[in-house]
Amino acid sequence: FCVGTSYILAVKVSYIVAVIMVDYKVQGSFAILEVNNPPVNALSHAVRSGLNDGIEKASRDRNVKAVIVCGKGATFPAGADIREFSKPKKEPWLPEIGHKMEKCEKPVIAAIHGTCLGGGLEIALFCHYRIALKTARVGFPEVQLGLLPGAAGTQRLPRVAGLQVAMDMISSGRHVLATEAKKYGIIDELCLKAVKASVDFPYEKGLEMETEFFKQLLGSGQSKAQQYAFFAERTIARWEMPNGNYRTAVAKPVKSTAVIGAGTMGSGIVVCLLSAGIPVYLMEQNEKFLNNGLKMIKSIMEGSVKLGKVSPEVGRKAATLLKPTMNYNDLKDVDLIPVLVKTCRGFLANRMHGPFGTEGTFLVEEGALPSQVDRVMEDFGLPIGPFKVRDLSGVDIAYKIKQEVAKLLGIKTTLQTRFMNGERYCALNDRLFHLGRLGRKTGKGYYKYEKAGGKIATEDSDVTDIIEKHCKELGIQRRQISSQEIVERMMYSCINEGFKILEDGIAVRPEDIDVCYLYGFSFPRYLGGPMFYANQIGLQRVYERICYYHENFPYSPHWVPSRLLRKLAAKSVPMNEWMAYATGSKL
Ligand code: 3H9
């Protein structure tokens, strides 16, 4: 440090240190190659170099009769270093090291504990023997990152465990729900081709094909999005508040929780808490609502047990953990934890999702049909379209929210209302409400259902008639609406709101928003989340389209372009630097 009279100048000194990430030691006649790259011993370049040098050294050493490969600390290597995927590739490659291990004339043994995943399992499969602690877990989670095993896993696992087991492990990642895995169409197909090559071709040819498929996937937007989602989930846990942060805070045990409102959403949340074995108070304003909620919870729990989503034991215990109440006093000691956000109307998720729902209704008013909007958004990757969601949550909920807003503004709406407080208003939902089409609960809403409370949605020509009548009465000329327009208006309107949320400091990172969407709205993981999706498209393009829609729909304030987005788009700021431009942002 150089200390002057009025300033302190800090001089940064850098040391070049050779990082040793594989400890090589000889014990008796064993050479031990211990990977030491905490926390998960990922197979970074330094680790690969260490393993490569280690196996060469052990092969040469006359005193060594056998080689053990293991991991220090919590685990055997849990896979390739995902952070290196976006950097230029550096030799030695994993298969090259694996082949050296396989060709080693001394027995090479993988001693496995913790989580032996991805590249870690591939290394183990190259070894002549594998021994493991009973508690160890193995797997190929690459599919969750939009990849397939790329270091001979697709060739060696079928040879060791058989085609059926290999297909199951590689295509599901074992942690992925079947429904989600099915959506990974391209990956399933490439997995399939790679694993099939292990039967159809000699090992070398199969390996060549695997490498080619791995490269294709690594370069795909889908894989980048899934890698982003992996790190985003971990990033959001690193929260900072003026009076503490994730390092200093000590997690309190969750002994009791409360859910206020026993409607569809409240009951669903109760089921999640009960399934996790957490006691929960269910609060309602009257006995009728409370009993309806209890009935719904019982039926969902029974269904979950039948489907094997929760064990019968958890199902039985759930009844003892649920405490119905109509008294707020009962809730005074409950613990509350879901995502750190500043408060605003709609908080993060509902505020951002508001324009999404509104645009859906406007699109229908202009010419689309609810089933068309749903189909396009399901093709985009959402598990369920917005109008099916509205039928699920209740047409009356959307209606009552609008009525509350109107009341606050001192306005009375009619079926002819087209503007409220200077903003575009669509009374289509109100029409359905007045016709008693409240959604699934009444057996009809934007769709018709097999019965009241039914789940099978079918298109209803009555709905088309209602929409057409609405447009005729208001003199609206309906037009053809393209799929592109549907996706852009639904997604870009909420992305624009997302940037406003960042600018206002309601969330402090785009990752917070994306993880909310991945978990809260089952946003497709292979798109990363709406903010990552916007980044992939390019902020300039997104900004231009938002400006275009703002020009065309000046009475919808959600199209007023976000200032933050404008700045970021103008300077092509990379995603990891966005928050430096969000001047208003502080929790
Ligand atoms: C692969 O292997 C491809 C090959 O087939 C072919 C290659 C040619 N890389 O989750 P945690 C970080 S693909 C880099 O909180 P846990 C993570 O970000 C790979 N970093 O711990 C976090 O950092 P931070 C296949 C990684 O105990 C810290 O480690 N393998 C990696 O709850 C702790 O993580 C996988 O996909 C990685 N591979 O769970 C396994 N893994 O503290 C992915 C973790 O800065 N990993 N980090 O936030 C996991 O599933 C879990 O981390 C694991 C531990 C179960 C291992």
Side-chain angles (χ1 to χ4, degrees):
F1 294 94
C2 242
V3 184
T5 44
S6 58
Y7 61 89
I8 296 175
L9 177 69
V11 182
K12 208 172 148 191
V13 184
S14 305
Y15 296 96
I16 296 172
V17 186
V19 191
I20 297 172
M21 289 193 174
V22 177
D23 298 331
Y24 180 92
K25 52 190 169 200
V26 178
Q27 278 181 11
S29 51
F30 285 95
I32 301 173
L33 309 188
E34 190 179 46
V35 179
N36 181 8
N37 183 20
V40 299
N41 287 324
L43 295 156
S44 63
H45 175 247
V47 170
R48 296 198 305 276
S49 303
L51 283 174
N52 189 57
D53 295 350
I55 193 68
E56 284 181 358
K57 198 167 166 185
S59 303
R60 287 194 305 265
D61 189 336
R62 284 200 195 149
N63 297 321
V64 169
K65 301 281 180 260
V67 186
I68 295 177
V69 182
C70 59
K72 194 172 180 147
T75 184
F76 195 82
D81 189 333
I82 306 167
R83 290 186 200 275
E84 286 187 356
F85 285 163
S86 51
K87 299 178 186 158
K89 276 179 88 179
K90 277 204 217 160
E91 289 186 29
W93 319 130
L94 220 44
E96 192 181 321
I97 302 162
H99 286 128
K100 277 188 190 164
M101 288 179 175
E102 187 176 38
K103 285 192 185 127
C104 179
E105 285 171 3
K106 302 163 188 180
V108 182
I109 304 149
I112 300 168
H113 77 296
T115 42
C116 168
L117 305 174
L121 179 55
E122 287 172 310
I123 280 291
L125 286 169
F126 276 110
C127 294
H128 304 122
Y129 301 96
R130 287 161 290 282
I131 53 171
L133 286 187
K134 271 189 187 161
T135 49
R137 285 186 289 144
V138 301
F140 278 128
E142 281 86 343
V143 69
Q144 293 170 353
L145 300 169
L147 296 170
L148 50 71
T154 66
Q155 301 307 300
R156 305 185 81 90
L157 189 63
R159 286 174 165 86
V160 170
L163 207 56
Q164 204 178 342
V165 173
M167 274 310 301
D168 169 45
M169 282 180 67
I170 293 169
S171 65
S172 73
R174 275 270 161 91
H175 301 288
V176 178
L177 285 174
T179 45
E180 196 184 344
K182 199 170 156 222
K183 290 208 161 160
Y184 302 149
I186 178 174
I187 296 171
D188 277 350
E189 202 187 317
L190 290 187
C191 285
L192 188 68
K193 281 189 192 164
V195 179
K196 194 166 172 286
S198 72
V199 191
D200 292 348
F201 301 105
Y203 174 73
E204 285 73 19
K205 172 74 184 162
L207 198 58
E208 205 180 289
M209 289 173 73
E210 180 198 80
T211 308
E212 185 46 42
F213 295 145
F214 184 79
K215 261 199 244 158
Q216 272 182 43
L217 290 172
L218 200 58
S220 71
Q222 179 171 327
S223 172
K224 287 192 178 80
Q226 287 177 234
Q227 288 169 41
Y228 162 81
F230 174 85
F231 289 115
E233 282 168 347
R234 284 149 183 87
T235 302
I236 61 152
R238 295 192 211 113
W239 53 270
E240 304 275 346
M241 295 279 278
N243 55 351
N245 60 41
Y246 72 101
R247 279 188 219 91
T248 55
V250 181
K252 282 189 182 170
V254 179
K255 293 191 190 127
S256 178
T257 56
V259 172
I260 301 173
T264 311
M265 196 186 282
S267 302
I269 296 170
V270 169
V271 169
C272 293
L273 293 166
L274 295 177
S275 305
I278 298 173
V280 52
Y281 281 100
L282 177 63
M283 165 89 193
E284 254 303 351
Q285 50 181 313
N286 64 44
E287 216 166 307
K288 187 176 162 221
F289 289 173
L290 195 56
N291 286 335
N292 285 346
L294 291 173
K295 249 193 253 164
M296 195 168 356
I297 290 164
K298 187 165 178 270
S299 133
I300 304 176
M301 262 336 256
E302 283 171 358
S304 301
V305 172
K306 252 192 220 151
L307 291 172
K309 286 186 188 168
V310 297
S311 69
E313 196 194 329
V314 170
R316 271 193 300 277
K317 206 174 155 207
T320 63
L321 296 173
L322 181 59
K323 296 168 206 160
T325 180
M326 286 184 286
N327 184 354
Y328 268 106
N329 268 340
D330 287 342
L331 316 188
K332 65 182 188 320
D333 295 323
V334 297
D335 315 302
L336 181 77
I337 296 201
V339 174
L340 186 69
V341 288
K342 204 155 91 178
T343 175
C344 66
R345 196 175 131 217
F347 297 102
L348 187 161
N350 285 347
R351 170 173 163 182
M352 186 159 158
H353 221 51
F356 177 91
T358 307
E359 277 302 308
T361 316
F362 289 168
L363 282 159
V364 168
E365 191 176 50
E366 288 166 39
L369 286 177
S371 53
Q372 182 195 355
V373 174
D374 279 356
R375 199 171 42 249
V376 169
M377 293 317 292
E378 285 166 14
D379 286 348
F380 173 79
L382 298 184
I384 167 169
F387 288 98
K388 287 187 191 145
V389 172
R390 201 170 298 177
D391 273 356
L392 175 66
S393 59
V395 168
D396 49 327
I397 304 289
Y399 172 78
K400 282 178 188 162
I401 292 172
K402 284 259 162 82
Q403 289 308 302
E404 281 303 313
V405 175
K407 220 195 294 174
L408 283 175
L409 295 168
I411 295 169
K412 206 165 164 27
T413 60
T414 69
L415 294 184
Q416 273 67 42
T417 302
R418 297 204 62 190
F419 292 93
M420 187 157 82
N421 204 27
E423 293 177 16
R424 180 175 172 185
Y425 183 89
C426 172
L428 205 46
N429 195 71
D430 306 7
R431 278 179 194 265
L432 266 73
F433 172 82
H434 289 302
L435 290 166
R437 301 190 69 111
L438 305 189
R440 281 192 190 186
K441 57 185 152 197
T442 55
K444 49 190 182 169
Y446 285 92
Y447 292 85
K448 64 179 172 200
Y449 297 83
E450 72 279 18
K451 58 176 185 192
K455 290 180 182 165
I456 305 164
T458 36
E459 284 183 47
D460 188 349
S461 57
D462 287 354
V463 174
T464 313
D465 293 344
I466 295 166
I467 296 167
E468 282 174 356
K469 183 169 180 261
H470 168 86
C471 293
K472 208 166 162 195
E473 271 181 32
L474 299 180
I476 298 168
Q477 195 70 39
R478 290 176 65 73
R479 62 184 171 91
Q480 288 281 335
I481 308 240
S482 70
S483 299
Q484 183 189 338
E485 181 173 346
I486 292 174
V487 171
E488 283 189 352
R489 285 178 58 183
M490 305 287 288
M491 286 313 305
Y492 292 4
S493 58
C494 75
I495 285 167
N496 194 33
E497 197 63 36
F499 280 102
K500 291 177 188 170
I501 283 171
L502 291 179
E503 177 69 17
D504 292 350
I506 300 301
V508 286
R509 285 165 301 219
E511 285 90 343
D512 289 287
I513 295 178
D514 284 338
V515 173
C516 269
Y517 263 76
L518 292 177
Y519 286 88
F521 297 112
S522 296
F523 193 86
R525 204 175 167 83
Y526 52 81
L527 295 178
M531 306 311 281
F532 184 82
Y533 171 71
N535 189 54
Q536 289 290 79
I537 289 177
L539 297 193
Q540 188 59 42
R541 159 88 188 162
V542 173
Y543 178 69
E544 277 166 16
R545 296 304 289 163
I546 287 172
C547 292
Y548 168 82
Y549 288 119
H550 178 45
E551 221 174 287
N552 283 278
F553 304 107
Y555 299 105
S556 299
H558 53 253
W559 284 122
V560 175
S562 141
R563 288 190 311 269
L564 174 63
L565 174 59
R566 191 187 60 221
K567 270 191 269 177
L568 299 176
K571 296 190 174 174
S572 304
V573 180
M575 195 170 178
N576 59 356
E577 291 172 24
W578 285 1
M579 293 319 289
Y581 292 76
T583 45
S585 164
K586 282 270 176 302
L587 261 185

